Amino acid sequence: MKEMLKTIEQNALQSIRNISDLEQLEKIRVQFLGKKGELTQVLRGMGKLSKEERPIVGQVANEVREKIEKELEKTKNALKTAQKDIKLKKERIDISMPGNKKVIGHRHPLLTVKEELETVFMNMGFDVVEGPEIETVYNNFDALNSPENHPSRDLSDTFYITEQILLRTHTSPVQIRVMKQIQSPIKIVSAGRTFRFDEVDDTHSPMFHQLEGLVVDKNITIANLKHTIDMFIKELFGSDMKTRFRPHYFPFTEPSAEVDVSCLKCRGEGCDCCHKTGWDMELLGCGMVHPRVLENCGIDPEVYSGFAFGLGVDRIAMVKYGINNIRLLFENDMRFLNQF
Ligand code: FA5
């Protein structure tokens, strides 16, 4: 029986050493050590041995089992390591290979300018508020003292949704909303999209952006208005920038003015860019809030006064970045946008 056991040991060890995968190894384990395995069969026959022989053969059998088990374990570990190595080699990442670069977007120049404007005004003590792009005709025109026959109310100038609802033509209706809600004191700016039936040219677009400013309190004068505009232009473009106030008419302010700034290229000297005038394009409209507008919002014009302004955010961006065509801001051409 001892010889049988030794033969089993040799066969088992030989078979295990020839194995190249874990599945075969398990088959070998079952073949020799399983319930019906060769070693188990031999051990079952031990009952037929004499009392003296039994412990001796039992010891040999145990030794054989241990050897086989050890060899099985050793081979199992070796196969597992080899498998892992193959997997690692297969899945190896070549860190020297150039990766797939993700294109990360950045802020649109208009958003940058809008945020910059808001920051400048916040530093001057203004609050930032929001207003809707779809407005009532009343807030957009009537409450702002724009008479029935004002040309800007014409169907050919404004995008009407219904007779009483429209796409706001300016950010000034925000004035009405804020005055009705807060009364006074008020010191706010509000930026957003505005819509007009304007022909597209280098400085006009049917959709553009404005930033509205409104200050209402006791003793507000035109000096406060001029100083605020002057300060903000200098803050934005540099301390050597000059502002020019041209008298103008707006139904909701009295007196009213339009404001130009010195040409950013020649700083007022006169160059081809500004047609030798030294002044850049018109940037904003402004004035002292009309007493009738204050009254429309329940504010006593005998006690309170205010100033308001509305500036073209797109125009500011054009002056700031030297863009000569407003269309470039809305075409989403990455060759243009990547410059900012
Ligand atoms: C107004 O819209 C007034 N609501 C401004 C205002 C507010 C006056 C408060 C007084 C008190 P105006 O139509 O001039 O005014 O437009 C203001 C600015 O918006 C212009 O100076 C210009 O910079 C810009 N703007 C006007 N139309 C266009 C357009 N089609 N495309 C691009 N920018 C425009």
Side-chain angles (χ1 to χ4, degrees), residues 170 172 196 198 205 208 210 212 250 282-284 310 315:
H170 50 176
S172 297
R196 289 181 198 176
D198 279 350
S205 159
F208 58 103
Q210 285 190 341
E212 193 79 11
F250 293 109
E282 167 216 326
L283 287 187
L284 64 111
R315 299 256 180 106

Side-chain angles (χ1 to χ4, degrees), residues 144 248-254 256-258 282 284-287 290:
L144 285 165
H248 194 71
Y249 169 75
F250 293 109
F252 37 93
T253 44
E254 180 59 36
S256 308
E258 279 188 336
E282 167 216 326
L284 64 111
C286 62
H290 198 292

Side-chain angles (χ1 to χ4, degrees), residues 34-53:
K35 268 187 194 165
K36 291 177 188 164
E38 291 181 25
L39 184 65
T40 321
Q41 297 294 338
V42 173
L43 292 176
R44 277 201 187 125
M46 272 178 63
K48 290 177 197 149
L49 294 174
S50 68
K51 257 190 180 175
E52 296 74 31
E53 275 178 316

